[in-house]
Amino acid sequence: MRHMFTTLQERQGCSLNRRRRSLGLTLTILPPPRKPGSQNGYQGDRYIPSRSAMDLDIARFNLLCEAKENTSMLLNITSPIKEEYRKKLAENLLQEKNAKDGKKILVFKKKKRSTLKEDERLNYLLYCDKSGARKSYRHIPHLPERILDAPELVDDYYLNLLDWSSKNVLAVALGTAVYLWNAESGAISQLMQTSEDDDYVTSIAWATDGKHIAVGINSMEVQIWDASKGSQVRRMSGHTARVGSLAWNGPTLSSGGRDSRIINHDVRARDHIASTLKGHSQEVCGLSWSPSGQQLASGGNDNLLHIWDVASTEYLYRLSDHQAAVKALAWCPFQAHLLASGGGTADRCIKVWNTQKGTCLNSLDTQSQVCALVWSRHYKEILSSHGYSKNQLCLWRYPSMVKIAELTGHTARVLHLAQSPEGTTVVSAAADETLRFWKVFVASDKSNAIVRMHAKECGSLLLKAVQIR
């Protein structure tokens, strides 16, 4: 009988231990307390957990997570934004980087209260609105709003053949001619055509007034046209090879050529060459002036990115982090001295720079050739176009650089991007000879207020009429 009773106790004890182990609890057996007068005597007591210091909801959350891991039933979250949201949710609930180690099931003393700075650094993903309202997510269309044919669009990574004016007129270079498409009326007209059959347009860029457009051609010449009259205003020389990139800064037009030089033209003067910038050793395929007009960014086929000051002919910074040609350049509209650049096939990276200090703030491997970049004017986002292998457009949230959306449809590399004057639509031009219009930046009142606030800090450039002699 005693043997049977002992066996039953052992069975019950084993069952109880198994249940405790499954819950992550351990039982420590302490020796019985000894009398004070005995040798090596001491008087002990049990360790009693402090329930007031426990967070039973968090403990239950940890147990459920552990159970899911043991049974391999974790949810397979494929969307990057959902994965990011899940991580930030756990961090904010547990107030730790590692959600599982944030709270213990049994604690014996209360943890020190976190400081105000620690509370403030928690990600604003959950609590981004001061009014307490839940953050709303906008719908991003994954299909183009409109598709236009673009026959004879030159498939050349180093050219810049697309631009959208402040008067809502889209210009695109197709072979030997430049065509204009009025986005409001839908009217299409031919602006110009090269005089020689073997010549072709290599770059175009609208002036800030939306009236004049600069055209670079393969025969080493830069032409300026009055789009409202359809007439040529002047022709400018200076390069010894084709002109593949153009950028306006008020009355100054910067041109980059295959001769590795950058020429600043003052279009008001008879002697138009104001200065020549030398820093690249191969073709200059990317040019972009900052919104303030104080800095010029240039990218070349020599894998270099240069930052130039408006008052100097020597570069401020020579940045060599890219491993391929740097064509894609875009200045941030809501933060001063912030530049994004994209590398070619051997690099595939989007890099974000602080041009005031010449430092790289972020680098992202996109897994494909970066052809063009466009910042949103309404959200803290950036859109990139790519080549092999998906020929897609990718929308990234800044500064986390989490991919928000991927837009597909083109069947060849997407060489060019241009943004509408109101900033809601982006047009892409690809080697498949099509133009696709994507309404990715539909503005809200809140987003407009945020961008306007940051734009005031950065300073703005007034649109002035360009007087061309």
Side-chain angles (χ1 to χ4, degrees):
M1 192 69 177
R2 179 178 177 81
H3 176 72
M4 293 176 60
F5 180 76
T6 303
T7 303
L8 181 59
Q9 280 186 327
E10 291 175 351
R11 290 179 181 177
Q12 291 177 347
C14 292
S15 175
L16 181 59
N17 288 334
R18 283 196 298 271
R19 291 181 59 189
R20 286 169 174 163
R21 283 195 298 271
S22 66
L23 291 175
L25 303 176
T26 58
L27 179 64
T28 303
I29 305 300
L30 297 177
R34 299 187 181 183
K35 295 181 180 181
S38 60
Q39 186 178 4
N40 298 329
Y42 63 89
Q43 187 172 1
D45 200 354
R46 292 176 299 162
Y47 287 99
I48 301 177
S50 175
R51 293 187 179 273
S52 62
M54 295 182 190
D55 193 332
L56 297 180
D57 291 334
I58 302 302
R60 182 174 179 274
F61 173 78
N62 286 335
L63 291 175
L64 290 176
C65 288
E66 184 179 356
K68 287 182 180 180
E69 291 177 358
N70 292 337
T71 54
S72 300
M73 293 178 63
L74 284 173
L75 294 177
N76 184 20
I77 303 175
T78 57
S79 173
I81 189 63
K82 289 183 178 179
E83 177 66 19
E84 183 73 10
Y85 177 79
R86 185 189 67 80
K87 291 180 180 179
K88 298 303 179 184
L89 178 64
E91 290 179 14
N92 279 274
L93 286 177
L94 301 177
Q95 301 182 359
E96 293 287 342
K97 291 183 179 180
N98 188 346
K100 293 182 66 178
D101 296 335
K103 295 288 184 180
K104 297 181 180 180
I105 298 175
L106 297 179
V107 292
F108 303 102
K109 63 179 180 178
K110 292 186 178 181
K111 189 177 180 180
K112 290 184 179 180
R113 189 172 181 177
S114 59
T115 62
L116 181 60
K117 290 184 178 180
E118 291 176 340
D119 292 334
E120 289 176 345
R121 70 179 170 80
L122 293 177
N123 196 285
Y124 59 87
L125 184 62
L126 295 178
Y127 311 102
C128 59
D129 193 352
K130 293 182 179 179
S131 63
R134 178 182 294 180
K135 183 176 180 178
S136 59
Y137 293 91
R138 75 184 192 279
H139 170 68
I140 301 174
H142 283 68
L143 294 176
E145 186 183 34
R146 183 193 302 266
I147 301 177
L148 299 178
D149 289 331
E152 299 184 17
L153 181 73
V154 179
D155 183 9
D156 193 327
Y157 177 79
Y158 303 100
L159 305 184
N160 294 271
L161 307 177
L162 186 71
D163 200 12
W164 207 326
S165 77
S166 60
K167 293 189 176 180
N168 210 12
V169 177
L170 180 69
V172 57
L174 303 177
T176 60
V178 174
Y179 292 88
L180 304 179
W181 178 74
N182 191 308
E184 295 179 359
S185 64
I188 300 176
S189 61
Q190 179 177 326
L191 176 66
M192 58 82 66
Q193 187 169 8
T194 57
S195 56
E196 301 293 335
D197 293 338
D198 58 348
D199 201 1
Y200 59 93
V201 180
T202 54
S203 57
I204 55 176
W206 283 101
T208 52
D209 61 0
K211 180 182 177 182
H212 296 91
I213 184 173
V215 180
I217 57 179
N218 187 55
S219 57
M220 307 170 290
E221 191 176 64
V222 178
Q223 302 177 2
I224 299 180
W225 289 73
D226 187 335
S228 61
K229 298 179 180 179
S231 60
Q232 184 182 116
V233 178
R234 71 178 300 176
R235 304 166 67 176
M236 298 181 295
S237 60
H239 287 283
T240 58
R242 71 177 186 181
V243 183
S245 55
L246 296 167
W248 287 89
N249 184 25
T252 300
L253 174 65
S254 300
S255 60
R258 185 178 269 181
D259 56 7
S260 73
R261 293 190 302 165
I262 302 170
I263 298 179
N264 291 325
H265 309 267
D266 188 345
V267 297
R268 303 166 298 181
R270 183 181 300 274
D271 297 329
H272 56 86
I273 299 180
S275 60
T276 301
L277 309 179
K278 297 180 180 180
H280 292 279
S281 59
Q282 296 188 37
E283 182 172 12
V284 180
C285 51
L287 278 179
S288 183
W289 280 97
S290 64
S292 64
Q294 297 301 307
Q295 290 184 330
L296 172 67
S298 65
N301 193 31
D302 51 6
N303 308 345
L304 294 177
L305 171 63
H306 286 97
I307 306 298
W308 310 81
D309 186 82
V310 65
S312 176
T313 57
E314 298 292 331
Y315 55 78
L316 287 175
Y317 300 105
R318 182 186 184 96
L319 309 173
S320 58
D321 292 23
H322 284 289
Q323 303 301 314
V326 184
K327 175 201 172 188
L329 298 172
W331 291 91
C332 180
F334 53 81
Q335 185 172 337
H337 306 292
L338 192 67
L339 173 71
S341 62
T345 306
D347 182 72
R348 309 177 304 179
C349 290
I350 297 175
K351 297 183 184 295
V352 182
W353 306 88
N354 181 337
T355 60
Q356 192 174 24
K357 299 180 179 179
T359 56
C360 182
L361 303 177
N362 202 343
S363 181
L364 173 71
D365 188 352
T366 65
Q367 302 299 318
S368 57
Q369 179 188 48
V370 182
C371 300
L373 293 170
V374 169
W375 285 94
S376 171
R377 299 173 191 166
H378 304 287
Y379 304 93
K380 292 186 177 182
E381 298 169 357
I382 187 169
L383 184 70
S384 59
S385 68
H386 301 272
Y388 181 82
S389 62
K390 291 185 178 181
N391 306 314
Q392 81 280 27
L393 284 75
C394 294
L395 185 61
W396 312 89
R397 175 173 287 119
Y398 181 81
S400 64
M401 297 307 287
V402 173
K403 185 187 292 186
I404 304 173
E406 188 171 292
L407 310 177
T408 58
H410 283 292
T411 57
R413 58 181 179 176
V414 188
L415 296 167
H416 314 287
L417 291 177
Q419 191 172 19
S420 62
E422 78 279 3
T424 60
T425 304
V426 175
V427 59
S428 58
D432 59 6
E433 299 186 345
T434 63
L435 302 178
R436 296 174 187 258
F437 295 78
W438 312 86
K439 209 170 186 64
V440 292
F441 298 134
V442 178
S444 64
D445 294 338
K446 183 178 178 181
S447 65
N448 282 332
I450 294 174
V451 173
R452 281 197 299 267
M453 178 183 67
H454 288 285
K456 287 181 180 179
E457 299 175 358
C458 300
S460 59
L461 202 61
L462 297 177
L463 300 180
K464 298 180 179 179
V466 179
Q467 297 180 355
I468 301 175
R469 184 170 179 176

